[in-house]
Amino acid sequence: MRSIVLGRGRLLSATVVVMSLAVTAAMSLVFHRTVRIDMLVTGFVCAVVVDVVITRITKHYREKLAQLHADLGRRVHERTAELQRTRDELIARDRMVTAGMLAAGVSHEIRSPLTVVRMGVDELRELVDGAEEAELLRDVNDAAERITAIVNDLSSLAKPADDPVGPIDLDGVIATAARLASYRFGPTVTLVRTTDGALQVLGNASRLVQVFLNLLVNAARATRPDAPNTITVSAEARADRVVVAITDTGTGMSLETQARLFQPFFTTGGTTGGTGLGLVICRSLVERMGGSIDVTSDLGAGTTFAVSLPCAG
Ligand SMILES: Nc1ncnc2c1ncn2[C@@H]1O[C@H](COP(=O)(O)OP(=O)(O)OP(=O)(O)O)[C@@H](O)[C@H]1O
Ligand SMILES: [Mg+2]
């Protein structure tokens, strides 16, 4: 359909004008036996009015259609992202179950040498009498117990266990985790703790030690040997939660690494003996205590893992 442009940029349909003028001329001929200019002008004005109305209605519905289209696009996008997330979660859970089955299979083999280690520690305890040696043996024993707990955790990824949950003194838990992790800190690492001793969370003490130990060891692994590094552990109450943030000034992570952090067996720590299960276990344990873990990281600048737990009381 051809159209002509009016002064204000509106398009006037040539067909509407031609038809209107033709009808007006025909009516003028029928009623007055001549083509009257005033009737033609009236016909033209009617055509303009009709065109303006049609243009407005069309514009209104075109805008509505565009909005509906945009809404639909957004919804499709959201749904696709949701499906993708669900799919990723299913794959991750499937891998966790596989990991759990594997661990269940080898746990017996691991427990046997562990029993030897613990018996050895017990016997050594009777032979040494220095306070420093006694503390070292206690740490070895703690570490052996932790290995047992980790093997059990892996098995429980396939079949979650019910750990008793109660009010826990956060400062004590963090102090234990920091002491156990300190063996992994190189000479360039300084640990800063800004926890408030009065904070209590609802959780399981041994599991929380395990979570913070994992996060501290990860932070220690990310530190640079040729520069001073600070690992900060801070805790603060936020409404009915307590958030423990473990921040390092290490290598940080690329977006690709961040996207894969919680995938079982994802590790960049090949040379340091990482298995890529630490964070999977941490998240599973924290979620079972009613908490969550958030990560923020800047490549080249450092990383923060924020563990949010329910406040006790
Ligand atoms: N603080 C951190 N800074 C930089 N990268 C990190 C940090 N924490 C975790 N990562 C990255 O996430 C990966 C997965 O961590 P995760 O704890 O699950 O496994 P891992 O430490 O490699 O092995 P595992 O804990 O089983 O011994 C790490 O290999 C590392 O690439
Ligand atoms: Mg780890």
Side-chain angles (χ1 to χ4, degrees):
M1 187 185 287
R2 288 186 50 218
S3 31
I4 58 174
V5 180
L6 282 184
R8 279 160 54 197
R10 236 187 277 128
L11 289 177
L12 176 67
S13 156
T15 309
V16 172
V17 174
V18 169
M19 275 175 63
S20 169
L21 288 177
V23 169
T24 318
M27 283 169 68
S28 178
L29 272 174
V30 169
F31 292 115
H32 304 287
R33 309 228 169 253
T34 178
V35 177
R36 286 177 50 175
I37 296 296
D38 58 336
M39 286 188 72
L40 285 182
V41 170
T42 310
F44 182 75
V45 170
C46 285
V48 172
V49 170
V50 167
D51 184 72
V52 168
V53 171
I54 288 175
T55 306
R56 287 213 175 150
I57 292 174
T58 314
K59 189 173 165 235
H60 173 74
Y61 281 105
R62 198 174 291 145
E63 279 171 6
K64 269 209 147 170
L65 259 179
Q67 196 177 345
L68 280 175
H69 186 260
D71 279 356
L72 198 70
R74 187 175 41 76
R75 273 198 222 160
V76 167
H77 188 263
E78 277 171 12
R79 264 299 156 90
T80 311
E82 204 177 301
L83 281 174
Q84 181 76 34
R85 265 199 309 277
T86 313
R87 182 177 157 273
D88 290 349
E89 260 171 36
L90 282 175
I91 292 175
R93 288 203 191 284
D94 192 43
R95 286 200 195 142
M96 280 204 278
V97 171
T98 312
M101 280 158 48
L102 259 175
V106 296
S107 63
H108 176 256
E109 307 307 315
I110 293 176
R111 277 196 192 105
S112 307
L114 265 181
T115 313
V116 176
V117 170
R118 286 167 79 173
M119 278 166 56
V121 169
D122 280 346
E123 278 180 30
L124 277 173
R125 255 191 206 137
E126 299 187 357
L127 296 177
V128 300
D129 36 32
E132 219 170 292
E133 288 87 346
E135 192 179 340
L136 195 62
L137 284 176
R138 211 175 24 249
D139 285 345
V140 173
N141 194 53
D142 280 356
E145 277 178 9
R146 197 123 292 112
I147 295 173
T148 313
I150 289 171
V151 171
N152 292 339
D153 280 340
L154 279 170
S155 312
S156 73
L157 286 176
K159 188 171 160 289
D162 283 332
D163 295 315
V165 167
I168 303 293
D169 166 25
L170 196 55
D171 204 41
V173 161
I174 292 175
T176 309
R179 187 163 47 82
L180 291 170
S182 63
Y183 296 108
R184 311 295 286 271
F185 296 165
T188 59
V189 179
T190 309
L191 181 74
V192 178
R193 278 173 47 205
T194 59
T195 51
D196 178 353
L199 290 176
Q200 283 209 323
V201 293
L202 271 184
N204 177 284
S206 145
R207 298 302 190 198
L208 282 177
V209 169
Q210 189 180 340
V211 168
F212 295 131
L213 178 60
N214 264 315
L215 296 178
L216 284 168
V217 169
N218 278 358
R221 276 188 186 148
T223 54
R224 281 173 278 223
D226 53 346
N229 299 273
T230 307
I231 298 175
T232 311
V233 186
S234 64
E236 62 171 7
R238 287 187 205 159
D240 59 344
R241 322 284 293 173
V242 172
V243 179
V244 181
I246 296 178
T247 302
D248 64 68
T249 55
T251 54
M253 287 178 265
S254 66
L255 289 176
E256 290 76 26
T257 298
Q258 289 180 51
R260 301 185 62 195
L261 272 186
F262 293 98
Q263 286 180 4
F265 302 116
F266 171 75
T267 181
T268 57
T271 51
T272 50
T275 57
L277 284 169
L279 287 175
V280 181
I281 292 170
C282 283
R283 187 159 78 171
S284 163
L285 291 176
V286 169
E287 283 179 355
R288 261 187 261 159
M289 285 182 254
S292 59
I293 302 185
D294 284 324
V295 191
T296 46
S297 186
D298 266 341
L299 191 58
T303 301
T304 295
F305 279 88
V307 182
S308 166
L309 294 160
C311 190

